Amino acid sequence: MGEAAVIWGRLTSAFLLNCKLFGLTLLFALPLGLVIAFGSMSRFAPLRGAVKTFVWIIRGTPLMLQIIVIFLGPGLLGFKTPWPSNSSGRMMAAVVAFVINYACYFSEIYRGGIESVPKGQTEAGQVLGMTKSQIFFKVTLLQVIKRILPPMGNEIITLVKDTSLANVISNKEIIMMAKEYSAKGLIWPLFSTAIFFLVFVGVLTVLFGWAEKKLDYFR
């Protein structure tokens, strides 16, 4: 029991890294995704083309590859690496990679939600003398939130599980910790990681279900 308690405690501590990566990714990727979405809808063709190309590259390549390139790329190209040499440097690189990746996915969800709102509502707001910002925040935004909530929820739940990819640059998250114990002949820590992810995903599923019901009045 003593050894099992110690292992469980270490798994819990390792999962905090997954949670930290999850929280930081959402904190920065959600607003950045909106900025990218506006760039992809820009009337300035060169900007729109550049943003769409960048999004295509990020969405078309594996997140694991992006993590490795962002962490090792500067050094391999002969530049001074921007990441500290300790564990915080590996964590910073993982956060940057996750933020860029998920911001691009979120941007497409934002763009689809914004473009799905009937243009007649924007025109009606203009007739009433509302500014573009007033129309966006008072007419468009809440409808966009309702429309994007299911796909956004799917991406956020995927993010929970993708945090395990951080171990590709030796971030000691929960699966990496469990693999170390499995190498010592203990299999149960590896399967126990499922409990952490299932509970986390279960809580998010309940929250998104509650939020969708709260926004039912937009149907």
Side-chain angles (χ1 to χ4, degrees), residues 47-61:
L47 174 62
R48 184 175 66 249
V51 172
K52 286 188 173 183
T53 300
F54 178 73
V55 171
W56 172 70
I57 292 172
I58 296 299
R59 294 179 70 202
T61 54

Side-chain angles (χ1 to χ4, degrees), residues 15 27 45 87 108 115 158 201 204 207 217:
F15 192 63
L27 179 64
S87 60
E108 289 298 286
E115 292 180 346
T158 299
V201 169
L204 288 176
L207 288 175
Y217 54 81

Side-chain angles (χ1 to χ4, degrees), residues 8-19:
W8 190 261
R10 289 177 177 173
L11 291 175
T12 302
S13 298
F15 192 63
L16 292 178
L17 186 145
N18 296 76
C19 295

Side-chain angles (χ1 to χ4, degrees), residues 23-103:
L24 290 173
T25 299
L26 284 188
L27 179 64
F28 294 109
L30 286 171
L32 179 59
L34 188 59
V35 173
I36 295 174
F38 285 135
S40 66
M41 294 186 293
S42 173
R43 294 181 180 179
F44 184 56
L47 174 62
R48 184 175 66 249
V51 172
K52 286 188 173 183
T53 300
F54 178 73
V55 171
W56 172 70
I57 292 172
I58 296 299
R59 294 179 70 202
T61 54
L63 175 55
M64 182 181 293
L65 176 62
Q66 294 164 21
I67 296 171
I68 295 171
V69 168
I70 287 175
F71 182 60
L72 299 177
L76 293 175
L77 291 172
F79 299 105
K80 182 179 179 181
T81 179
W83 320 117
S85 58
N86 53 23
S87 60
S88 64
R90 295 192 295 272
M91 183 63 180
M92 288 172 58
V95 170
V96 170
F98 272 78
V99 168
I100 293 173
N101 182 277
Y102 272 85

Side-chain angles (χ1 to χ4, degrees), residues 126-144:
Q126 292 172 339
V127 170
L128 293 173
M130 298 174 69
T131 64
K132 289 184 177 180
S133 61
Q134 287 176 326
I135 293 171
F136 179 76
F137 286 105
K138 294 184 178 180
V139 179
T140 306
L141 184 59
L142 289 177
Q143 296 183 66
V144 169

